[in-house]
Structure formats: structure tokens, C-alpha cells
């Protein structure tokens, strides 16, 4: 086991944070002791994909030999979908003088990037960090912020629509108008739809309470597609209910959505995405890696996840070859 004094010295060296030791004495929960590495975690909302990234991140430290409460502490905060709360959380981490911040999802990452200048910030579950203003570029982030992207294969996901619903002409998308990551995915969906002969119909929300109404407003579409949108995913059960009532197959952008009632997706493993982010954090804390020079990383492996029972409830039957090729079948 590494010594805690060595970890603290490396963390301070990596962040250039000698000035933060005074902040750490203010008594913040995450930075209460100079003998432990302190990490602040800010998550925009609670839902399975984001929870999985958080747990994967922490597991990377456990596998590297860190003992929570002894070598490392995690101050885990949830913004409950509120940008103002995310900003308050980021300011708290700055004041507490934590050694590193993990921001889960685009809104919390933006809040952290705007509020924290002298502490390394890693993001995860962010679709397009450059578009979101988090980094100068994927290859050279240029500041104190880098991390992992969950950019999903939108074209392949829409191809699933044509496999399951060969006669489909219109696909409805519900997304949050305030999430850059969702706007990027919708644009990708439009490009893919042109190639696939599909028309995209859009409905936007500003919070999860509007999801049902937005889904209803799509009208008579042949399929519904939900991107990795935090607010819509938070209210996904409303979309599933309408899809079943109207017999419209619902397609997701990540496995958690399929587990909750979408019929299929090609998606990434969010636990693995968080784990990969954790390894980046360890490089910063132990080896002094500079976030400005650490390229944004992605996962190369995708999984085909299907839910035949959900498909049946939504009036379609998944092709046998699709089910046979699936990496995961939700029972």
C-alpha cells in the first residue's frame, strides 16, 4: 500500500496547489485532512448511466489500492437537475480545496469549468466537450479540464429503427433544449436520417416534468428515439408508458434506457467509461499528468442491447438475427 503522505505530496505537485492547503483547512467535507486525497464528485441527476460512471470511477481507485476513508475521500454531490445547484457545488469544491473534481454530465462539467481554475477537473458522460466549451480541442484540451466522452453511434442507433420497423418514415426525438450534448446528438440524427430516408420530428423539454407532454406532442410517428439526455432519461418512464399506449417502438442511446423499457440500442458501458476516467485521475494525482495535454478519451467497444419483452409491449417483434447477435438481452 502506498503511504498517504506520498499521495498527498503527489496530488499537490500535480495540481500546483500549494495555495489550496489554506483552503483545505476551512473544514470542507472532502478536504478535511491533509493525509488523504480528496475528490469532489458532482452529478447532474441520478439515473443508472450516470450512477454507473460514478461507481466505475471509484472502482478504478479501489483497484489501484486506495482505501476510501483512509487514502481517499469522495465528496459526492447531486445537482438534482439544477444548473444553479451545479454551480454552487463547484464553488464548494473550489473553496474546500479538493485535489481533483469529477463532473458527471455536461451541465455539471460546464459549471465546474467555469468555477474552478486551479484544480484538475475531469468530466465523464459528456458527448461533445469542445462544443460545450470545456476544452480547446479533443486532442489538446488546453486548460485544467479533460475527461471522457460518451459520444454514441447515433447512425447505428437509427439503423436499428430501420431493422425493427422497415417501413418507418418518421422518428420522434425528445430532448432537452438546454443540453448541448443533446443538441449535438439531434444534429447527428438528422444527418443519419437523411441517409436512411427518415424524417426527424423534434420535441424539447426544459425539465423532466415536461417529458410526457413533449412525447405526446410528437403525434403519429413510427418510432421514438431518446438520446443520452439527462432530463429526458430522468423521466424515461413517461416516454415508455406513451410508447406502449400508442404502440410506438422506443429506441434508446444507452443500455440503461433499454433496461427501463426501450426496445434496443447500440451503446457503451458506462461503468467502463467511469473506470477509464478514474485511471486518468490516477495519472494526474500520482504521475503529475497535465490535463491540458491529456486528450479526451472514448470507449471503442459497443454493445448491442435488446429488450424483446418491451418490443412486444410496443407492438413490434425484434428480428431473430438481431436478438441472436445481441451482446445483452434484457429479460
Amino acid at each position: 500500500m502506498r503511504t498517504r503522505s506520498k499521495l498527498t505530496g503527489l496530488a499537490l505537485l500535480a495540481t500546483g496547489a500549494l495555495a489550496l492547503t489554506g483552503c483545505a483547512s476551512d473544514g470542507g467535507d472532502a478536504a478535511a485532512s491533509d493525509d488523504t486525497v480528496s475528490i469532489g464528485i458532482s452529478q447532474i441527476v441520478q439515473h443508472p448511466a450516470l450512477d454507473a460512471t460514478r461507481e466505475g470511477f471509484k472502482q478504478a481507485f479501489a483497484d489501484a489500492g486506495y482505501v476510501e476513508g483512509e487514502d481517499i475521500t469522495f465528496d459526492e454531490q447531486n445537482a438534482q437537475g439544477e444548473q444553479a445547484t451545479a454551480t454552487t457545488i463547484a464553488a464548494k469544491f473550489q473553496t474546500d480545496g479538493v485535489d481533483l473534481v469529477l463532473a458527471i454530465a455536461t451541465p455539471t462539467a460546464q459549471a465546474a469549468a467555469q468555477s474552478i481554475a486551479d484544480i484538475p477537473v475531469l468530466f465523464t458522460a459528456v458527448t461533445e466537450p469542445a462544443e460545450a466549451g470545456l476544452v480547446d480541442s479533443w486532442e489538446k484540451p488546453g486548460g485544467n479540464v479533460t475527461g471522457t466522452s460518451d459520444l454514441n453511434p447515433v447512425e447505428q442507433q437509427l439503423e436499428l429503427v430501420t431493422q425493427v420497423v422497415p417501413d418507418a418514415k418518421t422518428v420522434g426525438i425528445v430532448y432537452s433544449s438546454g443540453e448541448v450534448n443533446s443538441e449535438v446528438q439531434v444534429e447527428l440524427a438528422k444527418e443519419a436520417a437523411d441517409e436512411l430516408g427518415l424524417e426527424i420530428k423534434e420535441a424539447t423539454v426544459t425539465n423532466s416534468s415536461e417529458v410526457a407532454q413533449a412525447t405526446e406532442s410528437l403525434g403519429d410517428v413510427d418510432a421514438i428515439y431518446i438520446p443520452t439526455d439527462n432530463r429526458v432519461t430522468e423521466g424515461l418512464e413517461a416516454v415508455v408508458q406513451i410508447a406502449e399506449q400508442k404502440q410506438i417502438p422506443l429506441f434508446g442511446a444507452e443500455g440503461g434506457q433499454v433496461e427501463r423499457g426501450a426496445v434496443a440500442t447500440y451503446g457503451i458501458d458506462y461503468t467502463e467509461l467511469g473506470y477509464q476516467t478514474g485511471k486518468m485521475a490516477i495519472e494526474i494525482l500520482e504521475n503529475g499528468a497535465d490535463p491540458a495535454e491529456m486528450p479526451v478519451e472514448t470507449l471503442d467497444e459497443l454493445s448491442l442491447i435488446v429488450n424483446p419483452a418491451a418490443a412486444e409491449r410496443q407492438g413490434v417483434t425484434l428480428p431473430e438475427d438481431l436478438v441472436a447477435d445481441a451482446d445483452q438481452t434484457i429479460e
Side-chain angles (χ1 to χ4, degrees), residues 46-295:
Q46 182 175 358
H47 69 62
L50 301 188
D51 295 346
T53 60
R54 184 187 68 242
E55 295 309 309
F57 178 83
K58 294 173 66 177
Q59 187 61 48
F61 281 92
D63 289 351
Y66 290 74
V67 177
E68 188 171 354
E70 182 178 332
D71 300 308
I72 192 166
T73 62
F74 298 101
D75 184 356
E76 301 177 40
Q77 301 289 330
N78 193 301
Q80 305 297 330
E82 297 295 331
Q83 188 69 35
T85 304
T87 299
T88 300
I89 292 168
K92 175 186 184 299
F93 292 156
Q94 175 72 52
T95 300
D96 288 350
V98 298
D99 295 315
L100 184 140
V101 171
L102 172 68
I104 303 175
T106 301
T108 45
Q110 290 173 319
Q114 291 164 5
S115 302
I116 299 171
D118 52 4
I119 298 171
V121 175
L122 288 177
F123 56 76
T124 189
V126 168
T127 300
E128 226 308 344
E131 289 287 338
L134 299 174
V135 296
D136 292 342
S137 71
W138 286 54
E139 295 76 19
K140 298 197 77 170
N144 65 313
V145 182
T146 188
T148 58
S149 168
D150 64 350
L151 183 61
N152 50 300
V154 176
E155 183 175 3
Q156 288 175 268
Q157 291 167 349
L158 284 187
E159 285 176 353
L160 282 175
V161 174
T162 63
Q163 291 178 258
V164 177
V165 192
D167 296 330
K169 298 299 181 185
T170 57
V171 176
I173 300 181
V174 183
Y175 68 100
S176 172
S177 57
E179 290 195 30
V180 173
N181 61 306
S182 300
E183 294 171 354
V184 168
Q185 291 173 82
V186 171
E187 289 305 311
L188 291 173
K190 289 178 180 178
E191 294 174 10
D194 285 341
E195 297 294 326
L196 296 168
L198 299 170
E199 176 189 354
I200 299 296
K201 295 183 68 174
E202 303 172 41
T204 61
V205 303
T206 58
N207 58 66
S208 59
S209 66
E210 299 172 357
V211 170
Q213 182 179 359
T215 306
E216 288 280 6
S217 74
L218 292 172
D220 187 20
V221 293
D222 298 314
I224 299 172
Y225 170 72
I226 301 299
T228 55
D229 184 289
N230 297 297
R231 291 183 175 86
V232 178
T233 301
E234 187 180 17
L236 186 67
E237 280 67 29
V239 186
V240 172
Q241 183 178 22
I242 293 169
E244 292 177 357
Q245 289 174 348
K246 293 189 172 184
Q247 298 287 276
I248 303 172
L250 168 65
F251 295 81
E254 50 93 6
Q257 294 171 342
V258 180
E259 291 178 3
R260 293 166 64 187
V263 304
T265 192
Y266 278 108
I268 64 172
D269 185 323
Y270 276 81
T271 302
E272 287 297 321
L273 188 71
Y275 193 93
Q276 187 166 337
T277 316
K279 291 196 294 184
M280 294 178 72
I282 292 168
E283 278 295 305
I284 292 170
L285 294 170
E286 291 193 0
N287 299 324
D290 183 0
E293 301 295 327
M294 297 176 73

